[in-house]
Amino acid sequence: MNLYDKHQELLEKAIKALHERVFYAAFPEYPGSSVYGEEADKKGRGDFKAHLNTNFEEMHTDEPESWVSDEVSPYLQEPLNIKYPALSVDTLISNAKKARESWRKVIPEDRAGVLIESLFGMQNRFFEIAYATMHTTGQGYMMAFQASGPHAADRALEAVAAGFEELKRFPAQTRWDKPMGKYNLVIDKTWHAVPKGIGLVVGCSTFPTWNSVPGLYASLITGNPVIVKPHPGAVLPIAIVVSEIRDALRENGMDPDICQLAPDTFDHLITKDLAENPAVKLIDYTGGSVFGNYLEELRSKTVFTEKTGVNSVILHSAQNIDKVAANLAFSICLYSGQMCTAPQNFYIPDSGISTPEGQVSFDDFAAKLIEQINGLVDNPKAGPFVLGAIQNARTCDRVNGISKLGGKVLLESREIENPMFPKARTATPAVVVVEASDKDKYSEELFGPIALLIRTGSIEESVALAREMAENHGAISCGAYTTDPDVREMIAEEMSLAATPVSFNLVGGIYMNQNASFSDFHVTGGNPSGNASFTNPEYVIKRFTWVGHREPATV
Amino acid sequence: MNLYDKHQELLEKAIKALHERVFYAAFPEYPGSSVYGEEADKKGRGDFKAHLNTNFEEMHTDEPESWVSDEVSPYLQEPLNIKYPALSVDTLISNAKKARESWRKVIPEDRAGVLIESLFGMQNRFFEIAYATMHTTGQGYMMAFQASGPHAADRALEAVAAGFEELKRFPAQTRWDKPMGKYNLVIDKTWHAVPKGIGLVVGCSTFPTWNSVPGLYASLITGNPVIVKPHPGAVLPIAIVVSEIRDALRENGMDPDICQLAPDTFDHLITKDLAENPAVKLIDYTGGSVFGNYLEELRSKTVFTEKTGVNSVILHSAQNIDKVAANLAFSICLYSGQMCTAPQNFYIPDSGISTPEGQVSFDDFAAKLIEQINGLVDNPKAGPFVLGAIQNARTCDRVNGISKLGGKVLLESREIENPMFPKARTATPAVVVVEASDKDKYSEELFGPIALLIRTGSIEESVALAREMAENHGAISCGAYTTDPDVREMIAEEMSLAATPVSFNLVGGIYMNQNASFSDFHVTGGNPSGNASFTNPEYVIKRFTWVGHREPATV
């Protein structure tokens, strides 16, 4: 049985799910032994530890030009000292050019087969990837497992499914038969989905697989070889994925250089050299806006970005304000606000929030939110695991220096103890009140656990500001609380015009930070927070070109 | 019966045709009385003449800020003196913003209904549009009728069909139901295809409707109001189309400013002011590469271009070399080489072209081609009608000054007499031999009736040069003649990598210049000749953003 036959049913289910947008997951998100077996976690932890202080040999790179290492565990605050084989930009490009010649000729069915096979290879290593993710990003265990493992694999499958569907949307050949009166003009036509060229995937430090595999698999399914340039501080999780792709390719007689890893170091970053190389035609990027804007402006490249944004929460009215505060406190604390979907700006009318028990004043809501944050942070069985650790020391500097913003600091950030990792770099959320008129204070992303409570004159002002922030500075997510259908409609309308998805009235076990493969589009591509979306049709069709040839029929 | 019900069957056929890519046409291309009635041509001619020296009142523009006129008939070489109502850029933008509020809320079915209705309004005026096209572009009657009338309407319908299909590819709402073990997480989700903003369509002087209506209808079907900025020298054909759209909107209770005409003059061009306005989010452009590149680089705009290119013919071997020469001579003469798909560079190996009767030398083929060109040009029943007139006097200057190129001029351009229009501006094809080594001589578009015969060392060199030209300077079409399957495969492969469609072995009544709605993608978008393609999915989906909102289910 070939790999397409092996995975065809899964692929078809994934394509169906994409269009129905109901719940679907191919890879179980629960890391329990009932799903993954008794030994899986232990083995994964051991496999991770075995990488420490060694050369990462799984790329099977012939003669690496150097070995590079720059990862530091946010939990241990010491180097992982894993060395990755590095090649020069010229060698990477030359390998990719060679690999392109064979890969572009592989039919979509066989590409899909080998790519899905690689996801099952990845699945065998979900726990190892989880520990690798914890010790590069600072994520808590559960998030590290889910986001870097099953959720990332689902997002990758989603990209494969979307790409496969688009590659099949036009026939490979047809006969065009035009009645001309006395005779017919008969032309045989063929259509070719021509891959654009070499793809470059530039990873980020906080979600090294989740944010990188959609572009990686989207470029691959559409026939482009890919060079993965991880963030120097978060290499291991994606290195494992790349090695699984290379193994799947090699085991099926294909050139492993269809997918290469291009590790670099903070001292000598190679992203620009790769991005500006004329053979690189596709770039997927997650990271800061300055570099993202530079990439978007490169001529003759197709660039997919997820950059920074200012996510809003609009508070108007609620059935149960304590549940709202609890839900938002969790959203703020989750991975210490280091998610691109974390809320930052909370717009609260000076008149407060309507509830069945009457108005909850601005100050009372602030107090409830802070109480919920403290309750979570100070719960030793929850806080350390929900907050995780801080990936980058500069995030701590930002949070600790928040008083410089000029607002009224209601809650200062502090460190908490992690029972498993005494040296973990931690920072709890800071909560600051600013006035709506002080727009400069809240119109940029303050990455990390920072909540700004913005006092507005009315719900209309709140919505207008949230829309303006999204349109001018980008937004990936938005939360809104209202029990009034007209206000709900206004928020839905206004935020949709700023291309920002709204999560309404979330309470309980679902948070605005989260989004689901096959259902929620991640980033819309329609505001400055990024120009691409996991995974709408645009995300895959821009990676190849439809070319038709034709010739008069001879029989 | 509403308009969607009225046109639903047609729309469904059009969507089906798009995917089957077999012959399909909704609007008959034959201008005979058997199709359009005895009086149609006469009435169209009269309607055209009635426009001359008058104000074009059909826009029903309240209080135009000025009346502008700059059209000159290439057949009469005198001004048409039709005055169009002009509004300031501010007024146009303000009208479009207002129109946007209602248009974006019209459901896709109703948008499709009214847009298709407008195409039947356009159909009632195909003959008037044909004469308007002749006397602005210089096209011959048959081309003016077909290209500006039925073929343009088919391309517009194609854009409507493609847009409608994409708007319907995801559900308006779903319920997402995730098993969580002890309970289910149930979320109601809605998806919105949010139009990007105001569309601007910038027309060209040679195909004022055919090149403009795809972008116009693509932006409209996806909910964007459109401002059409015609070329100052070719306003009337598209003015008629815009007035039909406005009438259809008005008659169905919608704001006519959903589609506005923005005429200007050579002395005071307003394209940049419109393009740079922040409210303009979509730009469709046909024209020169310098301005096209400027538009493509505008930040925060989605830009669709068709620019210039260097189209190649690759000659290797043929069954009947005389038929090849005749076919290519026609391609060169058709509308005097003023088509974006006209061939310019003919790559012929120094060793000649293989035929069943032996090698036809480079010089012998050149002689055959020239003989065929002269035979067509000098045939008074064919030449004037196939060549038409020259739209722009600078094209004549270019052709007449071709000796400055430095090649060996085998055939000089000259004027021919048009029996109906003694003052017509005409220029017959020039044929020039250049050497493959003189790359600078043939690496840019020489717009007009100019054929360069390029002497190469081998078929491999021919193909490499054709690919290089397409990759570096753009190509919209390519012709190739070979009876060798391996050579055919090589050409198909190499040109597809340059995103250039190849017409193989065309002889008889079909030409590389032509392409068919619903079947041939026009421009691939994958080389410098343009970044967009009529009509692939990318052409429509980039005009709106998918935004999803969600909320926990309450029932």
Side-chain angles (χ1 to χ4, degrees):
Chain A
M1 184 154 80
N2 72 27
L3 291 177
Y4 178 66
D5 292 340
K6 181 175 172 188
H7 299 303
Q8 183 179 4
E9 191 185 333
L10 179 66
L11 181 64
E12 284 167 2
K13 274 188 197 165
I15 293 172
K16 185 160 170 279
L18 255 183
H19 288 283
E20 295 185 343
R21 308 203 80 73
V22 295
F23 172 74
Y24 178 72
F27 299 93
E29 70 175 5
Y30 179 63
S33 54
S34 59
V35 181
Y36 288 96
E38 289 295 336
E39 297 301 313
D41 178 75
K42 189 177 162 195
K43 179 175 181 303
R45 186 193 304 239
D47 290 345
F48 163 69
K49 286 196 173 161
H51 287 298
L52 302 175
N53 306 305
T54 65
N55 286 355
F56 188 86
E57 298 278 8
E58 295 183 45
M59 294 297 157
H60 304 291
T61 310
D62 300 334
E63 301 174 28
E65 291 161 35
S66 62
W67 291 86
V68 300
S69 180
D70 239 346
E71 293 164 304
V72 174
S73 166
Y75 284 107
L76 308 172
Q77 297 215 50
E78 60 185 45
L80 301 186
N81 199 27
I82 306 168
K83 295 190 178 66
Y84 302 93
L87 297 170
S88 70
V89 168
D90 284 350
T91 303
L92 290 162
I93 296 289
S94 154
N95 290 347
K97 280 184 176 168
K98 184 170 153 285
R100 183 185 187 214
E101 288 313 299
S102 55
W103 183 238
R104 67 182 174 81
K105 293 176 188 160
V106 174
I107 61 170
E109 285 78 357
D110 291 339
R111 283 187 213 142
V114 73
L115 292 174
I116 296 175
E117 182 74 4
S118 76
L119 293 176
F120 286 99
M122 179 181 169
Q123 184 179 30
N124 291 335
R125 302 176 74 176
F126 277 172
F127 290 87
E128 179 188 357
I129 292 170
Y131 287 102
T133 298
M134 286 180 71
H135 287 285
T136 49
T137 69
Q139 288 176 22
Y141 173 79
M142 184 62 88
M143 180 184 285
F145 179 85
Q146 293 186 336
S148 270
H151 292 176
D154 274 333
R155 281 284 181 203
L157 176 62
E158 183 185 59
V160 170
F164 186 83
E165 185 189 20
E166 293 299 331
L167 293 169
K168 290 292 181 181
R169 274 186 95 199
F170 297 103
Q173 57 191 58
T174 50
R175 176 159 286 191
W176 184 84
D177 193 339
K178 178 181 180 181
M180 299 292 287
K182 291 178 183 149
Y183 68 104
N184 276 21
L185 202 53
V186 185
I187 310 281
D188 284 333
K189 303 189 178 189
T190 58
W191 281 276
H192 310 267
V194 181
K196 285 217 172 148
I198 298 172
L200 170 67
V201 174
V202 183
C204 66
S205 62
T206 46
F207 288 90
T209 75
W210 195 91
N211 271 98
S212 289
V213 294
L216 169 56
Y217 280 82
S219 278
L220 287 173
I221 185 66
T222 50
N224 305 281
V226 177
I227 297 168
V228 178
K229 211 302 288 177
H231 190 282
V235 182
L236 184 56
I238 192 71
I240 294 170
V241 175
V242 170
S243 75
E244 286 300 322
I245 295 172
R246 289 171 65 88
D247 283 353
L249 290 164
R250 193 184 292 108
E251 283 160 16
N252 289 281
M254 298 175 188
D255 186 345
D257 287 342
I258 291 163
C259 181
Q260 299 179 89
L261 188 76
D264 60 1
T265 59
F266 292 108
D267 281 351
H268 179 60
L269 295 164
I270 61 173
T271 316
K272 282 193 175 188
D273 291 340
L274 284 166
E276 294 177 11
N277 189 290
V280 170
K281 300 293 185 190
L282 302 167
I283 303 175
D284 288 88
Y285 169 78
T286 312
S289 288
V290 174
F291 199 80
N293 293 340
Y294 147 78
L295 290 173
E296 286 180 11
E297 286 174 29
L298 289 175
R299 294 275 304 163
S300 309
K301 315 271 178 184
T302 303
V303 182
F304 303 84
T305 60
E306 176 180 330
K307 302 178 294 186
T308 51
V310 185
N311 300 325
S312 294
V313 175
I314 299 165
L315 290 144
H316 171 260
S317 48
Q319 270 301 320
N320 185 325
I321 197 68
D322 292 305
K323 283 190 179 175
V324 172
N327 186 278
L328 290 174
F330 191 91
S331 274
I332 294 166
C333 290
L334 189 57
Y335 187 27
S336 305
Q338 297 171 101
M339 299 179 78
C340 56
T341 48
Q344 173 183 304
N345 288 359
F346 296 74
Y347 298 94
I348 309 167
D350 190 38
S351 58
I353 300 162
S354 305
T355 74
E357 293 77 37
Q359 288 294 103
V360 172
S361 74
F362 184 98
D363 291 345
D364 284 351
F365 179 75
K368 282 178 187 290
L369 185 66
I370 287 169
E371 189 188 336
Q372 291 287 350
I373 291 171
N374 283 332
L376 179 57
V377 163
D378 293 334
N379 178 348
K381 290 191 175 166
F385 311 105
V386 172
L387 271 74
I390 302 293
Q391 204 278 334
N392 189 323
R394 279 179 299 177
T395 302
C396 297
D397 298 342
R398 184 180 304 111
V399 182
N400 292 328
I402 196 65
S403 63
K404 281 179 263 171
L405 188 70
K408 182 179 172 193
V409 179
L410 297 187
L411 180 65
E412 303 238 23
S413 176
R414 53 197 163 87
E415 293 183 17
I416 54 167
E417 198 179 323
N418 187 303
M420 297 172 69
F421 303 106
K423 289 191 175 171
R425 185 195 291 133
T426 60
T428 67
V431 177
V432 183
V433 174
V434 299
E435 303 300 318
S437 53
D438 290 338
K439 222 178 263 184
D440 58 311
K441 292 188 173 51
Y442 58 87
S443 59
E444 66 173 318
E445 182 177 280
L446 303 169
F447 189 78
I450 297 169
L452 304 180
L453 309 188
I454 300 163
R455 193 191 312 269
T456 69
S458 65
I459 179 65
E460 288 75 16
E461 186 183 22
S462 295
V463 176
L465 287 170
R467 176 176 170 182
E468 179 188 335
M469 289 297 134
E471 284 186 331
N472 295 342
H473 307 288
I476 295 177
S477 64
C478 177
Y481 291 87
T482 180
T483 55
D484 181 326
D486 292 340
V487 172
R488 189 193 188 285
E489 181 57 27
M490 174 184 69
I491 296 170
E493 179 86 355
E494 294 294 311
M495 296 311 291
S496 79
L497 290 170
T500 306
V502 183
S503 298
F504 285 97
N505 302 320
L506 296 189
V507 291
I510 180 157
Y511 308 98
M512 62 178 280
N513 320 41
Q514 300 174 319
N515 72 52
S517 310
F518 301 101
S519 185
D520 298 316
F521 292 112
H522 176 69
V523 188
T524 62
N527 68 45
S529 65
N531 72 4
S533 183
F534 305 166
T535 299
N536 65 14
E538 187 172 344
Y539 193 72
V540 285
I541 61 177
K542 286 160 79 174
R543 298 173 196 266
F544 63 90
T545 305
W546 281 111
V547 179
H549 298 321
R550 58 188 184 175
E551 180 166 12
T554 47
V555 285
Chain B
M1 182 155 80
N2 73 28
L3 292 177
Y4 178 65
D5 292 340
K6 182 175 171 187
H7 300 302
Q8 183 179 3
E9 190 185 333
L10 179 67
L11 181 63
E12 285 168 1
K13 274 188 196 165
I15 293 171
K16 186 160 170 276
L18 255 183
H19 287 283
E20 295 185 342
R21 307 202 84 71
V22 295
F23 173 73
Y24 177 72
F27 299 93
E29 69 175 6
Y30 179 63
S33 54
S34 61
V35 180
Y36 287 96
E38 288 295 336
E39 296 301 313
D41 179 76
K42 192 177 159 194
K43 178 175 181 304
R45 187 195 302 240
D47 290 345
F48 163 69
K49 284 195 173 161
H51 286 297
L52 302 176
N53 306 304
T54 64
N55 286 357
F56 189 86
E57 298 278 9
E58 295 182 46
M59 293 297 155
H60 304 290
T61 310
D62 300 333
E63 302 174 26
E65 291 161 36
S66 62
W67 292 87
V68 300
S69 180
D70 239 346
E71 293 165 304
V72 174
S73 166
Y75 283 107
L76 308 171
Q77 298 215 49
E78 60 185 47
L80 301 185
N81 200 26
I82 307 168
K83 294 190 179 65
Y84 302 93
L87 298 170
S88 70
V89 168
D90 284 350
T91 304
L92 290 163
I93 296 290
S94 156
N95 291 346
K97 279 184 178 169
K98 185 170 151 286
R100 185 187 186 212
E101 289 311 301
S102 55
W103 184 239
R104 68 182 173 83
K105 292 174 188 161
V106 175
I107 60 170
E109 286 78 359
D110 292 338
R111 284 187 212 142
V114 72
L115 292 174
I116 295 175
E117 182 75 2
S118 76
L119 293 176
F120 286 99
M122 177 181 169
Q123 184 180 29
N124 291 334
R125 301 177 74 175
F126 277 172
F127 289 88
E128 179 189 356
I129 292 170
Y131 288 102
T133 298
M134 285 181 72
H135 286 286
T136 48
T137 68
Q139 288 176 22
Y141 172 80
M142 184 61 88
M143 180 185 285
F145 179 85
Q146 294 186 337
S148 270
H151 292 177
D154 275 332
R155 281 285 181 203
L157 176 63
E158 183 184 60
V160 171
F164 185 83
E165 187 190 19
E166 293 298 331
L167 292 169
K168 292 292 183 182
R169 275 185 95 200
F170 296 103
Q173 56 192 59
T174 50
R175 177 158 286 191
W176 182 85
D177 194 339
K178 179 181 179 181
M180 299 292 286
K182 291 178 182 152
Y183 68 104
N184 276 21
L185 202 53
V186 185
I187 310 282
D188 284 332
K189 303 189 179 190
T190 59
W191 281 275
H192 310 267
V194 181
K196 286 216 173 151
I198 299 173
L200 169 68
V201 174
V202 183
C204 67
S205 63
T206 46
F207 288 90
T209 75
W210 195 93
N211 271 98
S212 289
V213 294
L216 169 54
Y217 280 82
S219 277
L220 288 173
I221 185 65
T222 49
N224 306 280
V226 177
I227 297 169
V228 178
K229 213 301 289 176
H231 191 281
V235 182
L236 185 55
I238 191 72
I240 294 169
V241 175
V242 170
S243 74
E244 286 300 323
I245 295 172
R246 288 171 65 89
D247 284 353
L249 290 165
R250 195 184 291 107
E251 285 160 14
N252 290 282
M254 298 175 188
D255 186 345
D257 287 342
I258 290 163
C259 181
Q260 299 179 88
L261 189 75
D264 60 359
T265 58
F266 291 109
D267 280 352
H268 180 61
L269 296 164
I270 62 172
T271 316
K272 280 193 176 188
D273 290 342
L274 284 166
E276 293 176 11
N277 189 290
V280 170
K281 299 294 186 191
L282 301 167
I283 303 175
D284 288 88
Y285 169 79
T286 314
S289 289
V290 174
F291 199 80
N293 292 340
Y294 147 77
L295 291 173
E296 286 179 12
E297 286 174 29
L298 290 175
R299 292 276 302 162
S300 309
K301 316 270 179 185
T302 302
V303 183
F304 303 85
T305 61
E306 176 180 328
K307 302 177 294 184
T308 52
V310 185
N311 300 326
S312 293
V313 176
I314 300 165
L315 291 143
H316 171 259
S317 48
Q319 270 300 319
N320 185 324
I321 197 70
D322 292 306
K323 285 189 177 175
V324 172
N327 186 279
L328 291 174
F330 191 92
S331 274
I332 294 166
C333 290
L334 189 59
Y335 187 28
S336 304
Q338 297 171 101
M339 301 180 74
C340 58
T341 48
Q344 172 183 304
N345 288 358
F346 295 75
Y347 298 94
I348 309 167
D350 190 40
S351 57
I353 300 161
S354 304
T355 74
E357 293 78 36
Q359 288 295 102
V360 172
S361 74
F362 183 99
D363 291 345
D364 284 351
F365 178 75
K368 281 176 188 293
L369 185 67
I370 287 169
E371 189 187 338
Q372 291 286 353
I373 291 172
N374 283 332
L376 178 58
V377 163
D378 293 334
N379 177 347
K381 292 189 174 165
F385 310 105
V386 171
L387 271 74
I390 301 294
Q391 204 279 332
N392 188 324
R394 278 180 297 176
T395 302
C396 297
D397 298 343
R398 186 180 302 112
V399 183
N400 292 328
I402 196 65
S403 64
K404 281 179 262 171
L405 188 70
K408 183 180 172 191
V409 179
L410 295 188
L411 179 65
E412 302 238 25
S413 177
R414 54 198 163 86
E415 294 181 17
I416 54 166
E417 199 179 323
N418 186 302
M420 298 173 68
F421 302 106
K423 289 191 175 170
R425 184 195 291 133
T426 60
T428 66
V431 178
V432 182
V433 174
V434 299
E435 303 300 318
S437 54
D438 291 338
K439 222 177 264 185
D440 58 312
K441 292 189 171 54
Y442 58 89
S443 58
E444 66 174 319
E445 181 178 280
L446 304 168
F447 189 75
I450 297 169
L452 305 180
L453 309 187
I454 300 161
R455 193 192 310 271
T456 68
S458 64
I459 179 64
E460 288 76 17
E461 187 184 22
S462 296
V463 176
L465 287 170
R467 176 177 171 182
E468 180 188 334
M469 289 295 134
E471 284 186 330
N472 295 343
H473 307 289
I476 295 177
S477 64
C478 176
Y481 291 88
T482 181
T483 55
D484 181 327
D486 292 339
V487 171
R488 188 192 188 287
E489 181 56 27
M490 173 183 68
I491 295 170
E493 179 86 357
E494 293 293 313
M495 295 311 291
S496 79
L497 290 170
T500 306
V502 183
S503 298
F504 285 97
N505 301 319
L506 296 189
V507 291
I510 181 157
Y511 307 98
M512 63 179 278
N513 320 40
Q514 301 172 319
N515 71 52
S517 310
F518 301 100
S519 185
D520 299 317
F521 292 112
H522 176 68
V523 187
T524 62
N527 67 47
S529 65
N531 71 4
S533 182
F534 303 166
T535 297
N536 64 15
E538 187 173 344
Y539 192 71
V540 285
I541 60 177
K542 285 160 79 175
R543 297 173 197 266
F544 64 90
T545 305
W546 282 111
V547 179
H549 298 323
R550 58 185 184 176
E551 181 166 12
T554 48
V555 287

